[in-house]
Amino acid sequence: DAGVIQSPRHEVTEMGQEVTLRCKPISGHNSLFWYRQTMMRGLELLIYFNNNVPIDDSGMPEDRFSAKMPNASFSTLKIQPSEPRDSAVYFCASSQLENTIYFGEGSWLTVV
Amino acid sequence: GENVEQHPSTLSVQEGDSAVIKCTYSDSASNYFPWYKQELGKRPQLIIDIRSNVGEKKDQRIAVTLNKTAKHFSLHITETQPEDSAVYFCAASIGGGGADGLTFGKGTHLIIQP
C-alpha cells in the first residue's frame, strides 16, 4: 500500500490567498484525520471523519478553515483567506476504527 | 476533553544507556495509549502502543508501562543507539485511536550522545 498521500508537500503563498490541501487515505480505512503541527502548539487535531462524515470539528481554529470528504478516497482542507499564523505542517492521517492511525508525509505551508 | 502532559521536553542520554519518557492523562475513560517517533522533517510513526487491559508491553528494546489508577504511562528505551535520536510523542484516546482521534503530548526531544 502506498500509505496516506498528501499534496502539495510544500506550499508558499501570500497572505489572503486561498490554500487547498489534499489527502488520499489508505484504501479500506474508514477514519480520516487532519492534524496541524507547530513548535508552539505541537500536534493538534483539527477535524476527523468516520465513513466520510465529519464527526468533530471542534479543533478547527476559525471559520477560515473548512474540510470536506466527498468520498472514501479523498479529502481536502481549505484555508480562505490564509494568514501568516496559519504557517505549519498539516498532516492527514487515516485508520480503521479503533486501530492504528497512520500519518501522511505532511504538507508544509508557509504564508508570507 | 482529554489533556496529555509529557515530560521531559528534552532528554539527553549516553549511547547504550536507558531512556524513560513519562506521560499523564486526564480522562479516566481513555483506553488506548500509543507512542509515535518523529524524525526531523518526517511524519510521526507508531513505535508501540498499549491498551487499558494490559499493564506492560515490550517490543525488543522498547517497552511501555501503564498505570490506570494513577493515569500515567511511560516509554522505556534500553541500550539506546544513535538512530533513536528523534522526537517522541505520547497520545491517548477513548475510542481506541481510529474512532475518535488522538490527543498528543507536546513531545520529548531525545538526544543520544555518542
Side-chain angles (χ1 to χ4, degrees):
Chain A
D1 198 312
V4 178
I5 299 173
Q6 292 186 243
S7 65
R9 290 294 318 280
H10 299 272
E11 175 136 352
V12 180
T13 191
E14 292 186 346
M15 182 174 61
Q17 296 298 306
E18 178 179 291
V19 173
T20 299
L21 308 179
R22 298 172 177 81
C23 176
K24 176 179 168 57
I26 294 172
S27 178
H29 284 190
N30 47 17
S31 294
L32 183 139
F33 309 86
W34 283 101
Y35 281 89
R36 178 172 67 176
Q37 185 174 35
T38 60
M39 287 294 293
M40 290 298 295
R41 301 176 68 88
L43 275 162
E44 301 174 278
L45 178 62
L46 300 178
I47 185 172
Y48 71 94
F49 299 81
N50 283 344
N51 296 313
N52 313 338
V53 176
I55 302 300
D56 184 356
D57 65 354
S58 60
M60 296 285 260
E62 44 196 279
D63 292 345
R64 297 184 298 106
F65 286 70
S66 62
K68 293 182 179 179
M69 192 166 186
N71 57 62
S73 58
F74 184 67
S75 177
T76 58
L77 178 67
K78 187 173 294 187
I79 308 173
Q80 167 63 20
S82 57
E83 297 182 3
R85 60 195 168 115
D86 301 331
S87 297
V89 183
Y90 291 82
F91 286 104
C92 178
S94 72
S95 76
Q96 292 178 318
L97 284 176
E98 299 189 8
N99 286 316
T100 303
I101 292 178
Y102 295 91
F103 285 79
E105 297 281 9
S107 291
W108 297 66
L109 174 65
T110 302
V111 183
V112 298
Chain B
E2 176 66 276
N3 183 49
V4 177
E5 299 284 341
Q6 183 172 348
H7 301 279
S9 57
T10 303
L11 178 60
S12 181
V13 302
Q14 290 293 126
E15 182 179 349
D17 288 350
S18 295
V20 181
I21 302 170
K22 299 181 180 182
C23 288
T24 60
Y25 60 98
S26 61
D27 194 332
S28 57
S30 289
N31 60 10
Y32 175 65
F33 308 92
W35 288 87
Y36 283 79
K37 176 183 179 181
Q38 187 178 28
E39 297 176 347
L40 189 62
K42 301 288 184 65
R43 74 182 97 185
Q45 291 193 290
L46 180 76
I47 55 172
I48 195 168
D49 57 8
I50 192 168
R51 295 185 186 268
S52 59
N53 58 346
V54 176
E56 183 174 356
K57 184 176 178 180
K58 191 173 182 180
D59 182 3
Q60 300 183 338
R61 297 186 297 108
I62 294 173
V64 57
T65 58
L66 171 65
N67 183 328
K68 285 218 71 177
T69 302
K71 291 191 283 188
H72 69 70
F73 56 113
S74 300
L75 177 71
H76 305 252
I77 305 175
T78 58
E79 301 172 9
T80 53
Q81 300 170 3
E83 54 265 35
D84 295 330
S85 292
V87 179
Y88 291 80
F89 293 94
C90 62
S93 169
I94 295 173
D100 64 345
L102 297 169
T103 300
F104 283 89
K106 287 290 193 289
T108 295
H109 186 193
L110 178 62
I111 302 166
I112 307 300
Q113 303 278 8

